[in-house]
Amino acid sequence: MLLNNRIQRASIIYHHISFFNRLVARRFMEVAKSVATADIKRQKMAMKIGTHSGTFHCDEALACYLLKRLPEYEDAEVIRSRDPDVLSKCDIVVDVGGVYDPASHRYDHHQRTFNETMNSLCPSKKWKTKLSSAGLVYFHFGDRILRRLIGDGVDEKVTLTLFDKIYDCFVEEVDAIDNGVNIADGELRYKINTTISSRVGHLNPAWNDPEECDDEKLDKQFAKAVSLVGEEFMDRVKFYWKVWWPARTIVEDALKNRFQVDKSGEIIDLSPSSCPWKDHLLDLEAEQNIDPLIKFVVYADTSGLWRVQCVPVSKTSFGNRLSLLESWRGLRDSELCEVSGIEGCTFVHSAGFIGGNKTKEGALEMARRTLSSDKQNLN
């Protein structure tokens, strides 16, 4: 009996000691974790992104924003200087320094020997516009940035498509403007003054306001530029990921069913609703060697009326493969119905690239009549 009592007391003491040890161990782990987290944060804070001081431009603003989307640079300090000693202490330097060397994380494009493009760095890429610091950072880190923004579990094909699309429709423009590459040869018919590069440029202090030109105020304005260009970059990523990409399957299905819509195979139906189709259609036609090419796209608009839209010659062209009949252009409602002989017509744009009808069959008939007239003219 005495022995049993001693065993019980020993067991209680043991468990109390074990419980105390577990508390101590748990507290130790919490403190260790807290210290480790603080160390990691200090290391991140210690990271420095270098770029030039003075007047800023869109390319280095975008380059800095992109870098801060990466875990190793998200808490990094942006150092604006032209002092080689200051820049040498930075972990990564963009748009200054006269060196392009990915191994040492130097990404300048101003040196005479620099002529890199997306195509020269990766021959499978078609773009031959000279890269700025934005394009260089996007080329080397863009895939990681996109995966972090949209998720690592996304199919590689999707990420690659989004990478190309965002360069094509956002980053290349920044590269071209910073490097003085004209949008077209010869004299332009009009100027575009509202580009993201222009709006970043307007954030620089006025030349005739010396009080606004000190380094501290310039740095604050640069921070605004980074925020501005970053917001637009994120807007484009969200659009192409959430809105543009999901439309590809719809267009692909419509292309497969084109001969069910019309025996010519030159009209596709995107019903029940419209979606961003132009880029996908032209890409899929090229991938699948579609012949004959699609001439018209039919879809319902948000009001429930139907549209017949001409397919452009290229992604950037205002010209059409085949425009709606000239005799219809600029007409509306009953007058258009009388001239065309088609019921339910609502309008045809004066440029002939789009028309409307109250019914799907009416919109299809507008496309068919135009195709038929074109074939008769060819004969």
Side-chain angles (χ1 to χ4, degrees):
M1 185 69 176
L2 183 61
L3 178 61
N4 287 338
N5 289 338
R6 287 179 177 175
I7 291 173
Q8 285 180 338
R9 285 198 297 271
S11 177
I12 292 170
I13 292 170
Y14 171 78
H15 284 297
H16 276 297
I17 292 173
S18 298
F19 179 70
F20 176 76
N21 285 341
R22 286 197 298 272
L23 284 177
V24 171
R26 184 182 300 168
R27 180 57 183 158
F28 176 80
M29 291 300 294
E30 289 174 353
V31 171
K33 185 177 180 180
S34 176
V35 171
T37 302
D39 285 344
I40 291 171
K41 192 169 183 67
R42 277 195 296 272
Q43 289 173 10
K44 287 184 176 181
M45 285 296 290
M47 298 289 277
K48 292 182 173 61
I49 300 171
T51 191
H52 62 80
S53 55
T55 301
F56 50 81
H57 311 95
C58 189
D59 71 314
E60 75 266 21
L62 178 55
C64 289
Y65 179 83
L66 291 174
L67 288 172
K68 288 178 77 65
R69 307 283 68 77
L70 295 168
E72 61 267 39
Y73 298 118
E74 62 185 351
D75 296 315
E77 181 184 3
V78 175
I79 305 296
R80 299 184 72 240
S81 176
R82 293 186 183 276
D83 185 335
D85 290 335
V86 172
L87 294 172
S88 68
K89 296 179 177 64
C90 293
D91 300 279
I92 187 167
V93 177
V94 298
D95 209 43
V96 68
V99 176
Y100 167 51
D101 179 26
S104 60
H105 287 317
R106 265 45 187 171
Y107 300 96
D108 195 13
H109 66 110
H110 293 101
Q111 54 275 27
R112 290 183 63 182
T113 56
F114 183 90
N115 288 294
E116 300 292 1
T117 67
M118 277 281 181
N119 179 259
S120 69
L121 294 176
C122 179
S124 65
K125 304 295 185 188
K126 66 178 182 179
W127 300 279
K128 296 183 179 180
T129 299
K130 183 179 176 181
L131 298 174
S132 68
S133 62
L136 284 172
V137 168
Y138 188 75
F139 176 80
H140 288 282
F141 301 101
D143 181 70
R144 284 183 59 205
I145 291 166
L146 290 177
R147 287 186 183 280
R148 194 168 191 229
L149 293 176
I150 66 177
D152 286 329
V154 177
D155 186 87
E156 184 178 3
K157 178 184 177 183
V158 178
T159 307
L160 288 173
T161 302
L162 292 176
F163 178 95
D164 288 351
K165 185 63 178 175
I166 291 166
Y167 183 77
D168 190 48
C169 295
F170 190 83
V171 182
E172 185 182 26
E173 173 190 321
V174 177
D175 286 342
I177 290 173
D178 195 77
N179 284 304
V181 179
N182 287 326
I183 196 169
D185 295 329
E187 186 175 353
L188 302 181
R189 293 180 179 176
Y190 59 90
K191 296 178 181 179
I192 300 174
N193 297 306
T194 55
T195 65
I196 184 66
S197 294
S198 297
R199 283 177 282 133
V200 166
H202 291 320
L203 290 174
N204 279 286
W207 66 271
N208 54 357
D209 190 354
E211 292 183 1
E212 294 296 317
C213 291
D214 65 76
D215 289 342
E216 184 178 351
K217 290 182 178 178
L218 271 167
D219 288 349
K220 286 182 179 178
Q221 289 302 103
F222 180 71
K224 289 182 182 179
V226 172
S227 178
L228 171 66
V229 75
E231 184 176 348
E232 293 220 9
F233 176 81
M234 287 302 301
D235 180 67
R236 292 297 84 197
V237 171
K238 290 176 182 177
F239 172 79
Y240 290 121
W241 168 229
K242 297 291 187 180
V243 180
W244 178 80
W245 176 253
R248 190 176 184 86
T249 301
I250 297 172
V251 178
E252 198 165 14
D253 289 342
L255 199 54
K256 289 177 184 175
N257 297 326
R258 64 191 184 280
F259 287 104
Q260 296 176 27
V261 175
D262 187 75
K263 64 181 181 180
S264 69
E266 297 177 64
I267 306 171
I268 63 171
D269 174 13
L270 295 179
S271 61
S273 62
S274 63
C275 65
W277 57 266
K278 293 180 184 177
D279 290 350
H280 294 305
L281 177 60
L282 271 64
D283 287 342
L284 289 166
E285 284 180 327
E287 291 173 14
Q288 300 178 21
N289 296 315
I290 298 297
D291 186 30
L293 296 173
I294 305 302
K295 305 302 187 301
F296 296 103
V297 176
V298 171
Y299 57 88
D301 66 14
T302 54
S303 67
L305 297 176
W306 287 83
R307 296 283 183 264
V308 52
Q309 189 165 349
C310 308
V311 178
V313 174
S314 67
K315 294 179 183 180
T316 58
S317 173
F318 287 114
N320 306 312
R321 290 173 176 173
L322 180 61
S323 298
L324 291 167
L325 292 177
E326 187 173 358
S327 60
W328 301 352
R329 298 175 198 174
L331 302 183
R332 302 186 65 85
D333 303 323
S334 59
E335 184 181 8
L336 177 56
C337 291
E338 183 177 348
V339 171
S340 66
I342 302 171
E343 293 184 1
C345 293
T346 56
F347 79 98
V348 169
H349 194 279
S350 59
F353 76 94
I354 192 170
N357 198 285
K358 295 177 182 178
T359 68
K360 175 180 175 179
E361 189 55 41
L364 285 169
E365 188 60 24
M366 293 171 77
R368 289 172 181 144
R369 295 276 183 93
T370 304
L371 280 172
S372 176
S373 177
D374 182 62
K375 286 178 170 51
Q376 288 176 10
N377 291 335
L378 289 175
N379 293 333

